């Protein structure tokens, strides 16, 4: 025990002397809203102060942007503001590669957009162009073995009144309701490498955590104690 304490003392002393050194990257006149990294691809997706969606190239050795602004590839000039989309652009992984899903602003409506790499840039499609009602707050699966990405999103007229659905990332969206207790701080999330979600649902008036299988539409309760989850 004495040897262990002697070994720990220098480590703890070093930890106490650590000083944070923030390094500003990117254009100081630009905003990088709700950015998300594709680490192995050395890329970052984000939306700027004008709600345009971009993919930035990253330097894996330094963590810096390759260009001053990081606005290397425009994926869509009209994303919904974060205040009405709740979530910015997200990476979606499948056999189709690394795509970017996001909430697209179309007039006064919010749609699901998907941007894909086409050799020298990104092209985008509106996955819900022919569907009524708003769709926003897109979350993506990250399973390279899937034939196409799977998306979870909110459907409704406002951020206070919506239902949660999932769909393959095709045109048009094929909507499947998801059990959801509606008091979650972040909503359902995909389990990496599985065709399943973690979500919450009510059991006797208490929200508990469930694993929800997308293929069978069956849910397995994971928590059982008191208190909303």
């Amino acid at each position: 025990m004495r040897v262990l304490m002697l070994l720990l003392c220098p480590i703890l002393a070093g930890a106490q002397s650590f000083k944070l050194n923030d390094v500003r990257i990117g254009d100081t006149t630009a905003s990088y809203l709700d950015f998300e990294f594709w680490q192995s691809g050395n890329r970052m997706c984000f939306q700027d102060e004008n709600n345009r969606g971009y993919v930035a190239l990253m330097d894996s050795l330094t963590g810096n942007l390759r260009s001053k602004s990081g606005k290397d590839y425009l994926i869509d000039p009209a994303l919904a503001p974060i205040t009405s989309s709740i979530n910015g652009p997200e990476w979606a992984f499948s056999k189709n590669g690394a795509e970017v899903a996001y909430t697209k602003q179309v007039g006064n409506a919010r749609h699901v957009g998907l941007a894909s790499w086409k050799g020298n840039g990104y092209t985008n499609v509106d996955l819900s162009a022919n569907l009524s009602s708003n769709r926003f707050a897109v979350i993506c699966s990250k399973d390279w073995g899937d034939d196409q990405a799977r998306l979870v999103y909110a459907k409704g007229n406002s951020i206070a009144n919506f239902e949660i659905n999932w769909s393959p990332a095709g045109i048009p969206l094929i909507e499947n309701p998801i059990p959801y207790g509606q008091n979650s701080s972040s909503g359902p999330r995909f389990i990496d490498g599985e065709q399943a979600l973690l979500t919450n649902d009510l059991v006797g008036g208490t929200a508990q955590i469930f694993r929800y299988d997308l293929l069978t539409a069956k849910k397995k309760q994971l928590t059982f104690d008191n208190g909303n989850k």
Side-chain angles (χ1 to χ4, degrees):
M1 178 64 71
R2 181 178 298 176
V3 173
L4 178 59
M5 290 301 296
L6 290 173
L7 290 172
L8 284 175
C9 284
I11 296 174
L12 294 174
Q16 291 170 352
S17 63
F18 173 77
K19 293 182 179 180
L20 184 65
N21 182 25
D22 289 328
V23 178
R24 178 70 162 87
I25 65 173
D27 190 337
T28 57
T29 65
S31 295
Y32 300 86
L33 303 176
D34 201 9
F35 51 87
E36 302 286 345
F37 294 104
W38 171 25
Q39 186 171 352
S40 62
N42 298 324
R43 299 190 180 202
M44 174 183 81
C45 61
F46 67 96
Q47 68 187 84
D48 73 355
E49 66 281 2
N50 296 308
N51 296 313
R52 293 181 294 239
Y54 289 96
V55 167
L57 299 178
M58 309 291 298
D59 187 319
S60 61
L61 295 179
T62 65
N64 291 331
L65 300 173
R66 290 280 184 90
S67 63
K68 178 182 177 181
S69 69
K71 297 180 179 181
D72 300 310
Y73 297 104
L74 177 68
I75 60 172
D76 197 308
L79 273 64
I82 296 290
T83 52
S84 59
S85 71
I86 306 179
N87 190 39
E90 294 269 345
W91 290 106
F93 302 152
S94 71
K95 290 180 180 179
N96 292 324
E99 300 171 295
V100 183
Y102 54 92
T103 304
K104 179 180 178 67
Q105 191 73 35
V106 182
N108 294 322
R110 286 161 288 164
H111 294 190
V112 176
L114 184 72
S116 305
W117 178 253
K118 297 302 181 183
N120 57 358
Y122 287 86
T123 61
N124 67 74
V125 294
D126 186 338
L127 301 183
S128 57
N130 298 320
L131 302 177
S132 60
S133 189
N134 291 299
R135 289 162 182 79
F136 54 95
V138 186
I139 299 293
C140 311
S141 64
K142 293 177 171 56
D143 186 347
W144 295 103
D146 274 351
D147 289 334
Q148 58 184 164
R150 300 166 195 273
L151 309 176
V152 165
Y153 50 88
K155 175 185 176 182
N157 294 322
S158 73
I159 60 175
N161 183 21
F162 59 85
E163 62 184 36
I164 299 292
N165 286 275
W166 80 269
S167 172
I171 304 175
L173 296 172
I174 303 171
E175 301 189 315
N176 303 274
I178 296 172
Y180 179 54
Q182 295 193 358
N183 68 340
S184 169
S185 62
S186 60
R189 287 292 187 273
F190 285 96
I191 302 173
D192 285 1
E194 298 184 33
Q195 295 182 1
L197 295 164
L198 285 179
T199 187
N200 69 350
D201 203 8
L202 295 176
V203 180
T206 299
Q208 301 286 1
I209 300 297
F210 288 82
R211 179 190 183 278
Y212 183 72
D213 190 300
L214 299 181
L215 299 181
T216 64
K218 293 182 178 180
K219 57 183 182 179
K220 178 181 179 181
Q221 188 172 344
L222 302 179
T223 62
F224 298 86
D225 54 324
N226 296 327
N228 288 321
K229 312 297 185 300

